[in-house]
């Protein structure tokens, strides 16, 4: 035994905190701007790089990856060092991680307004940035796992488990969902298409929420809540159940974003069932967090840190009740694509992430600068006004979301749609959009106030690094990894997981299998935490596992791969989507470039291309969407939000002239529309020289183009554009036949046409 | 009544015994996990976040 002095690397924590605050302000400022654009279309300023479709991804990326990303890294670096009682393994890697992440954020802030996007929500960044993200993430992972090697605390506290799950799962999600074939340095096409792309994207999208916005923050909760109230976590045993149940169940829930779509029904049901099951571990975590306050509830009155953390956890509880509820198909039918989802997301982002971040910052900054908080009153003001801001925001969105959902489905006594014009629902929501600006602005203003408070706090002190003296113990004999893996307990886990994996090929209604699998897993869990595997040391299976971070990480990987593989592999192998192959036709070169413009302008942020098999939708839009219709769509553009109507059946619905007028001045054809003007497309020409290459890349992805299609692409595109231009000229519109606007019209006129043709051919 | 409940769970093909077995297992697991005398086991590790830095530099 010997004593050693540890000086923690707290400068990296300070850097991440201030980066988080800075980018938080930027992200929320853009949020207020896009909220204003939805209330006043004039706020798009008729400028391409300021239009809603390009700025909304900037807002979401900035808040998720810049604000929350930097915040979670700050929390992880601070708590990991103290929980493992060692300094981070490499200061250099810590610096590379910090600066690399900031460069990625800057690259995102430049490219997204330029329209450089992959067109997949929360995964918009193009392939060079995707590679940079993967590299920086690996640097972070190496530094993190290397630190385990140097640790002076044998067992790993529950916060670290959540960090491990975050690092492993985000890496898997990011790499799989970003797989794409580059067209050039600024453009790539997803290797997946249509329904398969949708499934992969929402497996990623949902679990980005789970493993980027939730698990690391839960780790932070398990560290900072006990710190703030000076009491240990309410139930450590509950945290074990919370962790494994959450990690295992979350990964299955992605398809609840695709209910009533052309995704196979079994995958939708699986997503719904596991989402509902998620309620239990989520509330287990919430209860564990809140009950940590036992005997210290008085701190809620006096300590702003505890206020923020307790309110944050409460928002987590509300969001994780609402999420499973929204995953129930009948509720989803009402809420999907409406502002209700926006309310749900912001209750989580502002309430859970925003308040947990504030609580952590207010606790950390005085300690990192060896001083006291500049103004407690200001922090209290931040809490109450910020809370009012969140409540105003979500109340407004609940009201508009319910209004939209009910109006879209309302039928009159004669069986016709009560509100046949989609815009009626948007006009009815308009007042709520003003209220949203007020709520969002209040939250932003209090966040700026926090920044001021924390900067003044930092200036009143000096940057310090924490120091501890630890007793380094000699290595003790451990339970071997082999013994852990060969134990009957682990065999039970394997059997349970294998049974659950079979759900992919068996129907979910065979509930006996599900219940049996869960029963096996529960028995295994009980044995894991209770039965001693190591008699002399008195350790249970799980306690022994807690001392083996690499085995722990491997088991987390297995746990998250089971759900992902069970849901994703069968659809990738399925021939179902190809059974109508003869009906789907590839895009013409002009339509293809028009589609790229549609993706670039972020039209999917407001328009879906997915008519759900609901009476009100088929009456409003036409026949429901089928999987084969989007089989050549790299990426899919089903969308998730309707601020404008669904476009799946728009092809051939209106003449070219209507589209021209609508794109140049949306209010000229659609009174009350919030759509930005796309007149700037008329001033930009299509680069016809790139068309052969575009078609060639699509062919490489499996779209059935011939060599002649590739060779003749520019000529065919020019011919098609000339025809559209001539048609417009005959109706009094003079426009260049090379403009991007015509390519967009060509694409819009193509959407859903295959289905019309197929329906005509049917007897 | 029992059959209706099983049907609700999509288990109409299964026997009531399966449901009883599952519920029993679930309850036993909860009892085992939260029994009081076991709580001391995690006392040391759950104290970890409460340890403060000894000094600053």
């Amino acid at each position: 035994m010997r004593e050693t002095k540890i000086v923690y690397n707290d400068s990296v924590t300070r850097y991440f905190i201030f980066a988080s605050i800075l980018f938080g302000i930027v992200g929320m400022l853009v949020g207020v701007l896009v909220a204003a654009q939805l209330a006043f279309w004039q706020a798009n300023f008729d400028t391409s790089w300021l239009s809603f479709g390009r700025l909304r991804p900037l807002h979401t990326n900035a808040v998720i990856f810049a604000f929350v990303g930097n915040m979670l890294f700050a929390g992880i670096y601070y708590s990991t060092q103290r929980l493992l009682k060692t300094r981070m393994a490499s200061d250099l890697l810590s610096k590379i991680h910090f600066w690399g992440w900031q460069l990625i954020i800057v690259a995102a802030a430049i490219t997204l307004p330029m329209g450089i996007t992959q067109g997949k929500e929360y995964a918009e960044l193009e392939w060079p940035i995707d590679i940079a993200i993967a590299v920086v993430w690996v640097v972070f992972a190496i530094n993190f796992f290397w630190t385990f090697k140097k640790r002076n605390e044998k067992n790993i506290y529950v916060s670290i488990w959540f960090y491990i799950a975050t690092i492993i799962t985000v890496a898997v999600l990011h790499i799989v969902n970003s797989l794409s074939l580059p067209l050039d340095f600024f453009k790539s096409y997803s290797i997946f298409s249509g329904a398969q792309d949708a499934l992969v994207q929402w497996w990623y999208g949902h679990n980005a929420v789970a493993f980027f916005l939730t698990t690391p923050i839960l780790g932070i909760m398990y560290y900072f809540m006990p710190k703030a109230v000076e009491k240990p976590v309410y139930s450590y045993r509950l945290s074990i159940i919370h962790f494994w149940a959450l990690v295992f169940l979350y990964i299955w829930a992605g398809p609840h974003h695709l209910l009533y779509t052309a995704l196979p029904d079994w995958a939708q049901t699986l997503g719904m069932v596991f989402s509902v099951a998620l309620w239990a571990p989520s509330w287990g975590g919430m209860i564990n967090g809140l009950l940590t306050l036992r005997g210290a509830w008085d701190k809620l009155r006096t300590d702003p840190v505890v206020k923020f953390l307790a309110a944050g956890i409460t928002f987590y509880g509300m969001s994780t009740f609402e999420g499973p509820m929204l995953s129930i198909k009948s509720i989803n039918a009402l809420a999907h694509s409406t502002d209700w989802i926006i309310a749900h997301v912001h209750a989580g982002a502002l309430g859970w992430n925003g308040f947990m971040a504030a609580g952590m910052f207010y606790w950390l900054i005085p300690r990192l600068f060896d001083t006291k908080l500049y103004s407690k009153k200001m922090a209290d003001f931040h809490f109450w006004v910020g809370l009012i801001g969140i409540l105003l925001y979500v109340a407004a969105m609940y009201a508009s979301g319910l209004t939209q959902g009910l109006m879209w489905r309302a039928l009159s006594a004669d069986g016709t749609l009560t509100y046949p014009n989609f815009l009626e629902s948007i006009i009815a929501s308009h007042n709520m959009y003003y209220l949203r600006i007020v709520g969002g602005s209040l939250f932003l203003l209090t966040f700026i106030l926090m920044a001021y408070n924390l900067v003044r706090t930092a200036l009143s002190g000096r940057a310090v690094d924490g120091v501890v003296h630890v007793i380094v113990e000699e290595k003790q004999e451990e339970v071997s990894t082999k013994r852990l893996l060969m134990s009957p307990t682990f065999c039970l886990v394997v059997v349970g997981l294998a049974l659950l994996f079979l759900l992919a090929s068996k129907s979910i209604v065979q509930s006996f299998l599900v219940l049996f699998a869960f029963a096996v897993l529960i028995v295994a869990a009980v044995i894991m935490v209770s039965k001693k595997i190591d008699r002399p040391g008195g350790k249970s299976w799980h306690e022994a596992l807690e001392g083996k971070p690499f085995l722990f990480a491997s088991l987390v990987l297995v746990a998250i791969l089971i759900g992902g593989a069970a849901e994703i592999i069968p659809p990738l192998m399925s021939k179902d989507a190809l059974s109508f192959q003869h009906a789907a036709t590839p895009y013409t070169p002009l339509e293809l470039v028009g589609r790229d413009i549609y993706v670039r302008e972020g039209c999917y942020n407001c328009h879906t291309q997915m008519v759900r098999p609901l009476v009100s939708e088929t009456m409003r839009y036409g026949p429901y969407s089928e999987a084969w219709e989007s089989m050549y769509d790299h990426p899919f553009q089903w969308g998730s939000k309707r601020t404008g109507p669904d476009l799946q059946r728009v092809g051939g619905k209106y003449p070219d002239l209507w589209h021209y007028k609508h794109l140049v001045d949306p209010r000229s054809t659609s009174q009350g529309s919030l759509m930005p003007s796309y007149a700037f497309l008329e001033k930009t020409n299509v680069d016809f020289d790139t068309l052969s290459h575009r078609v060639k890349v699509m062919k490489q992805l499996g779209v059935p183009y011939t060599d002649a299609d590739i060779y003749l692409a520019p000529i065919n595109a020019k011919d098609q554009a000339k025809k559209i231009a001539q048609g417009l000229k005959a109706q009094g519109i003079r426009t260049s036949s090379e403009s991007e606007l015509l390519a967009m019209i060509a694409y819009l006129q193509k959407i859903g046409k295959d289905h019309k043709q197929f329906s005509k051919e049917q007897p | 009544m029992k059959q209706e409940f099983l049907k609700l769970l999509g288990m109409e093909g299964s026997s009531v015994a399966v449901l009883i077995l599952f519920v029993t297992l679930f309850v036993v697991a909860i009892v085992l996990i939260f029994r009081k005398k076991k709580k001391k086991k995690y006392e040391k590790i759950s104290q970890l976040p409460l340890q403060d830095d000894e000094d600053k530099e």
Side-chain angles (χ1 to χ4, degrees), chain A residues 22 114 151 176 191 276 305 335 369 397 489 550 696-697 719:
Chain A
L22 174 68
M114 288 171 72
R151 74 188 191 276
V176 175
I191 66 161
V276 174
V305 171
F369 288 90
M397 290 300 95
T489 314
F550 297 101
K696 191 177 170 186
V697 172
D719 282 350

Side-chain angles (χ1 to χ4, degrees), chain A residues 5 7-8 78 82-83 85 153 155-157 222-223 226-227 230-232 235-238 240-241 367 464-469 509 511-512 515 518-519 522-523 526 529-530 532 540 543 546, chain B residues 6 9-15 18-19 21-23 25-57:
Chain A
K5 180 183 164 189
V7 180
Y8 298 127
Y78 186 86
R82 281 150 180 89
L83 290 169
K85 292 205 175 86
E153 179 62 48
N155 274 26
I156 311 165
Y157 183 70
Y222 276 118
Y223 182 79
K227 274 266 183 228
E230 294 166 325
K231 284 176 178 297
S235 167
Y236 198 79
R237 196 182 297 262
L238 180 56
I240 297 176
I241 306 295
R367 285 161 180 83
V464 290
D465 291 346
V467 177
V468 289
H469 294 84
V509 289
S511 297
F512 173 76
L515 293 187
F518 274 116
I522 287 171
V523 170
V526 171
V529 296
S530 306
K532 298 198 175 12
S540 67
E543 276 178 299
E546 286 166 35
Chain B
L6 285 170
L9 295 174
M11 290 175 57
E12 56 272 44
S14 311
S15 71
V18 174
L19 185 65
L21 175 72
F22 179 71
V23 172
L25 275 171
F26 189 78
V27 171
V28 168
I30 297 286
V31 170
L32 284 174
I33 287 163
F34 291 105
R35 60 189 164 157
K36 283 216 162 180
K37 66 173 185 179
K38 281 278 181 183
K39 285 206 167 177
K40 282 200 166 174
K41 190 162 132 182
Y42 293 108
E43 213 166 65
K44 182 173 169 277
I45 196 163
S46 62
Q47 293 286 336
L48 263 180
L50 303 181
Q51 296 170 9
D52 284 328
D53 297 347
E54 294 162 6
D55 204 357
K56 312 266 183 198
E57 67 173 49

